[in-house]
Amino acid sequence: EVQLVESGGGMVQPGGSLRRSCTASGFPFDQYDMSWVRQTPGQGPEWVSTGNTAGESTFYTASVEGRFIISRDNAKHTIYLQMNELNPEDTARYYCAKEPCQGPSKRLCRWGQGTEVTVSS
């Protein structure tokens, strides 16, 4: 069974940084793109970033471009999200996700349990 174990959430002051981790098991990690997704109550999910199997980022949503960095370590089956220059608008529950989550193979999409990130003074 696919498992995605997340860590690194919490509270941080505006302008601060936070590093998220997601360790995967139950599937060949190095053969799947991975994403970070965030969601606020009553809102649909927003794809924050997606990284391809080579560890290269393929997408950042405009609001985090230049502030967040996605990376992965295939040997450790782990994906990371470095979040810098955080602002209150970044407050959300953040999830890692095994792609694809759109298109004809979206049945393969899996989300982790998510962790709250709160940016507040």
Side-chain angles (χ1 to χ4, degrees), residues 12-90:
V12 63
Q13 294 184 334
S17 297
L18 203 61
R19 185 174 176 84
R20 296 289 318 280
S21 298
C22 173
T23 299
S25 62
F27 65 98
F29 179 80
D30 62 356
Q31 298 179 28
Y32 286 84
D33 292 357
M34 297 290 293
S35 292
W36 290 98
V37 186
R38 67 186 180 187
Q39 190 166 187
T40 55
Q43 299 292 317
E46 178 186 24
W47 258 249
V48 175
S49 183
T50 298
N52 67 16
T53 58
E56 302 168 348
S57 63
T58 59
F59 169 81
Y60 290 102
T61 194
S63 64
V64 309
E65 182 75 43
R67 298 189 297 120
F68 291 10
I69 302 171
I70 190 171
S71 61
R72 67 192 291 164
D73 185 333
N74 285 336
K76 296 182 178 180
H77 290 194
T78 299
I79 187 171
Y80 306 93
L81 184 68
Q82 178 68 43
M83 300 182 286
N84 299 315
E85 302 175 47
L86 287 160
N87 60 63
E89 294 180 354
D90 296 316

